[in-house]
Structures are given as structure tokens and as C-alpha cells.
Amino acid sequence: MLKCAAQMGAIGKKIIEQHGLSPDEFERIRQVLGREPNLVELGIFSAMWSEHCSYKSSRRFLKHLPTKGPRVLQGPGENAGVVDVGGGLAVAFKMESHNHPSYIEPYQGAATGVGGILRDVFTMGARPIATMNALRFGDPSHPKTARLLEGVVAGIAGYGNCIGVPTVAGEVAFDESYNGNCLVNAFTLGLLKSNRIFRGTASGVGNPVIYIGARTGRDGIHGATMASAEFDEASESKRPTVQVGDPFMEKLLLEACLELFKTDCLVGIQDMGAAGLTSSSVEMASRAGSGLELDLDAVPRRETGMTPYEVMLSESQERMLLVAKKGREQEVFAICDKWDLSHALVGRVTASGKLVVKSGGAVVAELPIAPLTEEAPSYDRPRRRPAWQDQVQKMPEIAPPRDLLAAFKKVLGSLNVASKEWVYRQYDHMVRIGTAVRPGSGDAAVVRFTGQREGGVALSVDCNSRWCFLEPRLGAAHAVAEAARNVSCVGGEPLAITDCLNFGNPERPEIMWQFEQACLGIADACKALETPVVSGNVSLYNETEGKAVFPTPMIGMVGLMDDCARSVGSGFLSAGDRIALLGGVGAGHLGGSEYLRAVQGKTAGLPPPLDFAREKAVQRAVRECVRQGAIRAAHDCSEGGLAVALAEMCFVRDLGCRVRFPPSSLRPDALLFGEDASRILVSYAPAQAERVKAIGAAASVRCEEIGEVGGAKLILEGLLDVPLVELREPWARAISRLLGETIHAVALEGHAGAP
């Protein structure tokens, strides 16, 4: 008889509900075991069958995504994806969400999100060299928005800056759909040798299972279950389910793991992330087809009186579970002692196919591995296109603005367009001195490989959530295309993506329709652009009291840089340079645009069409321009259209421009603020004009010279003639106004002379 079963007796309906299990799921557990589970076993099933761990509503749709390619060394299914970058090197990367914890406790929720994704990457054997983040907050007028923004940014900075990994890029957007549920998506990329990839596997009967890192406490218990439920009025009471991070401990753990990887004593390694010791032990055994026996009395603890249930489900941070080769335990312990880490032999690998957990000399849980993992429930939930979808896709009749300049300032002052310097200036983006293109100076970050003079990666994170709300499949495809376009603008060759799929309650048919459509859109774009999905995360139940967030399939794109010194930024560099538009002016598409939202107060219409052949050609042309040294700057046209893109290029070094658009039948607001896809503005020395045109022609890309750089004004002939300082003011002040701060002088005065 299991000890806890004898103590607890039958498990009641209320306890089952508290564990997030349905009556059918509980009955399935009873059938699997052939008996009633005890409380420890119920907790293990609850965690492993949670949406957060099992992907029970989403995994059938993830099969749409292309995951293989000539450079893919490790695709989805491990802690992070791995891609070959040549020269015996590879990069491991992944993006994950920490949405629910960040809404409940912004600082620690965001901080531990950073810590968790760092561990996912260095678990693969990689040293982290760059992080990014993608954030979503509610309407600026909502009473929680400012507090959440401040707390989340402080948490990201507090953890990332301390551990010494640069935060090199990111994305921030605001919409009332996020009022009750902010999004915090964290990305990390690490560098490793392509023949030294470590995986989370527990193989070799008799091999020791070793715990290393921080001691276990009661923080984070039920974190995975909490992340698999929507919010309600009682959500604030869930603070105990939010983990507490210690970046200094993480640094010690990182260095110890990297030292262990240099030996040959490890068989497998897994981060104790969601569901803690439960998920790490079960997942490692599942990958190997083995079993594990754990002795919880050996687990290092920082609190007294912890029960087996609490030890198994604690999500205390900065912990790893290792499987070492038999007889090599002392090597592991010696390295842990060097880095001042707690460590203990907590179990053995078995051939039983079961997880056997002991405490106090008795068995407290005995469960088969397969039903916890690959045989976990998988639901084909109903999907239905929302009845309101046709209505929101109707493009409203809008009158041209009476004051074009006032409309322009309103778009520039929109929080979705305005300067994000308040955010990124809090992050250390230069630690490790590998950042070649910094936040605010380019469309994507560029990071040199450690110890390399030339090679590196270009990184971008993107998603227009509004477009995904209006047409999920097309919006998701646009997210992939824009991420790739940003990487191409700095000269990078897009290689692969990681995704973080943020949606509402999957039990609602319209949410599952959005999810399926978004997966299809990502698949469309990734196949067309040849950028496989190598890792990712699904975050569901992002809603409060029945109000879901906009569907937000966030895309993290990784591109290869052959020569980081040849990258270009997004700002005009020299008076007299010419300006050209690759891809043409477009059709002035205002559906789902920032102009429509900010000036007209409407979220409606369809996103612009996306022609993959044209997109590939434009990206190919701009990459070739960068590689040949033909251009000095490149900036894609996205939120706010041509007008905003030109203003942003001016703001980087406080250099104005004069632009003459080709003859067009478009009305002024459509011409300036339309958000047609596949368009990139470039600037270059006059002597390079013919070369730029030739590159465009070779790629079959329309290349029109439209103006020149110089002066202190943005002049759009026949439309606007305005001093830059007048445009900069609303753009630079928006976030500080939200937070009630005095604007940082650099943002308002410009970046003249900045590197």
C-alpha cells in the first residue's frame, strides 16, 4: 500500500477541480493505475497533463509546422532547437512565455521567465550570448498598465543584467485586449560546438540521477497548473504560485554546467522548469524509454517540513537534474563544490518504465511514464470561425484627415510606434562586447560569435497582433515575413524560427479556430521562406473573465551573418545620401493599420496581401546590397507605413530628408500610412546609385529613388514640411507620459553622433 494513499483516503471532487483536472481525466487516471491515485500522484498527473506541459489542445496543430532543414541539428522536442552555422559551430535558441506569473507578480514573473529560458538554452550545452523579449500590455488608460510595464521591464533587466547576457532586441505593443492578461515572451540564443549537443535523456540502467543548483522551497507550487487556466477576480491571490529568481545563483549554475559539459561524465541534463522535479524526471525518462527511482529525502531543501507533494511540484528556480555515468558521481560533485552549488544523489535510472518516488523509506508515488507523456490526453477541440469575423474584416469608410500633420503626430505618438528607448535603456545590451547592431539603431540585432571577428547572428522578434485578430492565418504569415525582413535589412540570411503562440481559452471554438489558422499561416510562410520551426512554446488561457487577448503568435527569427562588420543600421548616416524604396510604393493598404487605430479609432479591415515570391525577392535584394557595401542604411516599412519609416530613419542621427513620391492616385493618408508588405527603404552614397539599381533589377525588384538625406526637416513634397524636433516630441515622450516620468534627454534631443 502506498503511504500517501493510506493517509489521504479517497480524493474528492473539490481536490480534483483544484488540480485543473476534469472528471473524465480523473477517471482516465484511475483506469491507467487500476486504482485510486494518492495526492502526490494526483499532483504529478495534474502537472504533466496541464496544458502548459502536455500541449493537449495544441499539439495536433503543431504538426502543420515544418521542422526540418539542411541546417537543423535539433528540432522541437528538446529544451531548445539547434541550428548549424558552419565552422563547427551551432546556435541553440528558444522562446517561451511567462504571461500569467508576470501579471500576478510583474517583477518576479518576468525575471524568472528570463532565467527559465536561459536554462533551456545552456542545458543544450550552449553558452548564452543574447536575449530578446516580446511584451504586450493593456490600454494606456488602464490602471494596471503602467505598473505592469515598469515591473516587467525591471524584472527582465534585474535578471538579465546580473547574469551577464546582453538583451539585444525586443518588441513592445499595447492594446486593450491585454488589459487583464499581459504577455511576456522571452528568447535566448546560445553558442555551442555542433558536435557537442546535450539532451534531456535518462538512459543507462543504474546510472545516477543527480540534483544540482539552488535548494528547493515552496515557491512556484502549482505554477504549471496556474498557467493552464484563465484569470478571474481571484487571480491576485495566486502570488504563491509565482517563482522567485536569483540571477547570481543562475550564473553559478551556468558556469558549473558549462564546465560539466567539457567532461564526458554526463548522459543527460534537464532544467527543472514548469512542474519542477516532476517534469524534469518524467520527461528525461520518457525520451529514453526508461524508468526512474527518486528518493525525496535526499533533495536539498531551504524550508523545513516540506511534504513529498511539495518537493515534487515546487518550481523553485536555478535547479537542474542530471544523469551521470555510473561511477562518475564525484566528478560532478567536485565541480558543484567549486561553484558553491547544492548537490545530491537523488535516484537511479531503471528499466521499469515507471516513476517510483520514495520518502521516509516508503513509496509515495508509483506511476507509469508513458501515460504521463506521449500517452497524455490529446483533444481535437471544436473549431469555429467567429460570427463577428466578417464584420471586423469590413473596411470602414473613413474621411481623409483634415490636418495631415496632426494625424502624423498622432501615429508617431502611438505607444505601438513611439520610441521604446525607455525600455531598452534599462537593459545591458553591450555586456560580452559582442553586440554589433544595438537596440534602436537597426531593424534587427547583430551579435558576433564569442571569439570570432566576423561571423555572428542577426535576431528579430515580431508579431502584429492586430492583423492576427483580423485574419489569423494571414497575420501569422506576416509575422514570419516581417521577422525575416528585419533580419535581411541588417544583412542576415534568415535560417530558422522559434515561436511563442499566445491565445485565449482553447475550450472556446473561436479560439481554437484562431490557433489552427495561425499555425497554418506560420507553416505557409516558413515553407515559402525556408525557415523551419526548431523550437517553441504554446501559451493558452490568456484571458480574464471570458475576454481573450488578441491572438499573438510571436516569431523569433535567427539569421546568419557572414561578416558582422558589413551590417547596416536603420538610420540615415550622411547628408547627400540618396534614398530609394525597394518593392514600390504599394496600394496604400490601411486595413488593420496603426493609422486606422490611432487616428480613426478603429481596428478593422483585412491585413495587406502577402506575396511570398515578392517578399523573398525584396529580402534577397536588400541582403545583396548590404553584402556588397552598396547601402548605408535599410529600414522596412511596417507600423505607420512610409511616413513613420522615414521619420524613424531621420531620428537615429537627427538627419532630415526630402522625398518626392512618384505620381500616385492614392489619397495622402493611404500613401503615407498604408502598411503594404514587402517594402524596404534604403539610403546610399550617390556613387552607389547604379549598383543599387542593378541589384534590384537582378532580383526583379522594383527600385525607385525617391529623395535625399539632409537638413533638419522631414519634407514630403506636396504633403508635409516639418522640423524633426516637432515630430520627435510626440514620438519620444509617449512611454514616459504613460509612466508619469520626465523624458530622458537623449530620446528628445536625438542621437546625433551615436554609434
Side-chain angles (χ1 to χ4, degrees), residues 287-371:
R287 292 189 188 110
S290 63
L292 284 184
E293 185 174 295
L294 298 177
D295 180 5
L296 298 189
D297 295 343
V299 172
R301 308 178 194 191
R302 66 169 182 263
E303 297 185 52
T304 59
M306 291 187 70
T307 65
Y309 180 96
E310 291 172 326
V311 174
M312 285 300 293
L313 294 178
S314 167
E315 293 185 11
S316 294
Q317 296 291 283
E318 295 87 37
R319 303 179 301 159
M320 290 283 189
L321 196 66
L322 316 179
V323 173
K325 294 177 181 177
K326 191 173 183 179
R328 306 288 294 275
E329 297 91 337
Q330 292 306 315
E331 293 177 53
V332 176
F333 298 159
I335 290 173
C336 290
D337 287 337
K338 173 185 174 180
W339 292 101
D340 199 22
L341 295 177
S342 296
H343 55 80
L345 177 63
V346 296
R348 297 280 176 184
V349 178
T350 69
S352 67
K354 293 182 178 181
L355 174 69
V356 178
V357 183
K358 296 181 177 180
S359 180
V363 174
V364 297
E366 185 172 349
L367 303 171
I369 296 290

Side-chain angles (χ1 to χ4, degrees), residues 25 29 38 184 210 307 411 482 519 528 544 574 583 590 623 630 649 666 671 694 744:
E25 287 172 338
I29 292 170
N38 64 38
V184 177
I210 300 174
T307 65
V411 174
E482 186 178 350
C519 288
T544 299
S574 182
L590 291 174
R623 286 197 302 270
M649 296 183 83
L666 295 175
L671 173 64
H744 190 241

Side-chain angles (χ1 to χ4, degrees), residues 25 57 176 512:
E25 287 172 338
S57 297
E176 66 178 14
M512 283 313 299

Side-chain angles (χ1 to χ4, degrees), residues 27-212:
E27 181 58 33
R28 182 169 173 171
I29 292 170
R30 293 178 61 183
Q31 291 176 5
V32 164
L33 298 180
R35 57 176 171 80
E36 192 97 348
N38 64 38
L39 189 60
V40 177
E41 293 170 330
L42 186 75
I44 292 171
F45 268 106
S46 168
M48 295 306 300
W49 284 10
S50 69
E51 198 72 61
H52 190 76
C53 292
S54 73
Y55 290 19
K56 59 190 176 185
S57 297
S58 61
R59 65 178 185 256
R60 67 175 54 246
F61 303 112
L62 301 179
K63 295 175 183 177
H64 293 307
L65 304 178
T67 59
K68 300 184 184 299
R71 289 183 178 269
V72 177
L73 301 178
Q74 175 64 59
E78 269 291 343
N79 291 291
V82 182
V83 175
D84 193 326
V85 292
L89 296 176
V91 289
F93 57 94
K94 189 181 182 183
M95 182 160 51
E96 276 208 345
S97 62
H98 232 221
N99 304 336
H100 288 61
S102 298
Y103 186 80
I104 295 169
E105 176 47 63
Y107 184 96
Q108 289 296 347
T112 52
V114 173
I117 198 62
L118 283 164
R119 290 193 299 279
D120 279 344
V121 167
F122 73 72
T123 297
M124 302 300 295
R127 177 176 287 279
I129 62 171
T131 67
M132 302 190 291
N133 53 75
L135 313 176
R136 290 290 184 277
F137 301 101
D139 188 273
S141 65
H142 191 275
K144 289 186 177 179
T145 297
R147 180 183 69 84
L148 288 170
L149 173 62
E150 287 185 300
V152 164
V153 171
I156 292 169
Y159 206 101
N161 295 356
C162 287
I163 198 170
V165 179
T167 302
V168 298
E171 195 213 39
V172 188
F174 299 79
D175 185 87
E176 66 178 14
S177 76
Y178 304 102
N179 282 350
N181 199 127
C182 64
L183 302 184
V184 177
N185 294 177
F187 168 103
T188 292
L189 177 139
L191 185 66
L192 69 161
K193 292 182 179 179
S194 57
N195 63 350
R196 294 287 288 168
I197 301 172
F198 287 80
R199 295 176 171 87
T201 183
S203 59
V205 174
N207 279 336
V209 178
I210 300 174
Y211 171 119
I212 72 169

Side-chain angles (χ1 to χ4, degrees), residues 260-310:
L260 283 166
F261 295 147
K262 293 178 181 178
T263 73
D264 67 343
C265 65
L266 293 187
V267 173
I269 179 169
Q270 178 86 7
D271 165 40
M272 289 192 224
L277 185 57
T278 288
S279 63
S280 56
S281 57
V282 169
E283 289 172 4
M284 291 181 81
S286 175
R287 292 189 188 110
S290 63
L292 284 184
E293 185 174 295
L294 298 177
D295 180 5
L296 298 189
D297 295 343
V299 172
R301 308 178 194 191
R302 66 169 182 263
E303 297 185 52
T304 59
M306 291 187 70
T307 65
Y309 180 96
E310 291 172 326

Side-chain angles (χ1 to χ4, degrees), residues 678-695:
S678 312
R679 298 179 300 164
I680 298 172
L681 286 162
V682 297
S683 66
Y684 46 86
Q688 297 290 341
E690 291 306 315
R691 191 195 294 192
V692 172
K693 289 180 183 177
I695 292 171

Side-chain angles (χ1 to χ4, degrees), residues 216-240:
T216 295
R218 289 187 171 92
D219 53 318
I221 294 172
H222 289 308
T225 306
M226 179 267 290
S228 304
E230 62 182 84
F231 282 159
D232 54 30
E233 292 180 351
S235 293
E236 293 289 347
S237 67
K238 296 179 180 178
R239 290 181 187 274

